Amino acid sequence: ANTLAVRTGSSYSNRLNIASNGDISFYEDTGSTAKMVWKAADESLGIGTSPQSFAKLQVKTDTNKQIAMFSNTDGATIGGITDTGASTTLRLAGSPLIMTGAGGSGSEAIRVTSSGVVVVGGTSAGQDGAVSISNTGYIQARIDNDTVAYFDRTGAGDNGEVIRIQQNGSTVGSIASGPFSISAAGVN
């Protein structure tokens, strides 16, 4: 099986294997398991696993290990995912999916639970100081001793509708400015 193998040590541990089909394998410290694999025919790379044919890059790690860490001291963009093929889906997976500030070392900023609840500024739905959006569309904002929400209508003219309340697509109420008025079911 025409291959080029690099082995080291008295036990001839595998370090590198280049197959005649162009596949290249790099081995871990004991030389028993390939931990980085280039599949030439699929033009794909696997780190920690052999890549599946549909993935250009597949990374597998042990429990409680980061898959990748990115640092950037020169600008605001750490990384980007760009799809010029007009796909409509970007999938991020986690249970829960947690986004933090300060380059990943800051406190939790946004959490998406496995049931689809989005929590901003907290770790659980209904938490004081957080905004929650349920998987059914319910929105809850809670804060102790401060204004819960601000609505600021800007643009030409000072008068107009600031908030519209609808049920089944029909307006059932609104809050307007100048002069201030609240209407429900068409009654001011």
Side-chain angles (χ1 to χ4, degrees):
N2 300 321
T3 62
L4 171 63
V6 175
R7 296 186 173 97
T8 62
S10 60
S11 61
Y12 298 102
S13 298
N14 290 315
R15 298 295 171 225
L16 170 69
N17 189 357
I18 302 174
S20 61
N21 64 358
D23 290 357
I24 303 172
S25 300
F26 295 88
Y27 288 80
E28 41 71 64
D29 61 339
T30 68
S32 61
T33 306
K35 289 295 185 173
M36 188 164 80
V37 178
W38 168 257
K39 292 287 192 179
D42 298 326
E43 297 178 352
S44 59
L45 178 66
I47 300 174
T49 187
S50 184
Q52 297 180 10
S53 61
F54 59 83
K56 289 296 182 186
L57 174 64
Q58 185 171 349
V59 180
K60 181 180 178 184
T61 186
D62 295 329
T63 304
N64 295 327
K65 291 192 177 180
Q66 302 274 348
I67 290 177
M69 293 293 294
F70 299 97
S71 296
N72 181 10
T73 59
D74 294 332
T77 302
I78 291 176
I81 299 173
T82 304
D83 179 9
T84 58
S87 293
T88 58
T89 302
L90 171 62
R91 182 180 301 265
L92 301 174
S95 184
L97 177 62
I98 297 173
M99 290 165 251
T100 63
S105 62
S107 62
E108 186 171 318
I110 300 172
R111 173 182 288 241
V112 181
T113 69
S114 60
S115 62
V117 175
V118 177
V119 182
V120 179
T123 58
S124 62
Q127 181 179 345
D128 195 39
V131 175
S132 305
I133 304 170
S134 76
N135 57 5
T136 58
Y138 176 81
I139 300 171
Q140 180 181 28
R142 293 189 65 178
I143 192 163
D144 187 27
N145 295 320
D146 202 354
T147 304
V148 173
Y150 293 91
F151 298 93
D152 186 3
R153 182 179 187 274
T154 62
D158 293 330
N159 299 334
E161 188 175 69
V162 177
I163 298 173
R164 177 180 297 164
I165 304 164
Q166 293 188 322
Q167 181 174 356
N168 296 324
S170 297
T171 300
V172 295
S174 66
I175 299 176
S177 62
F180 178 80
S181 65
I182 299 177
S183 67
V187 179
N188 285 327

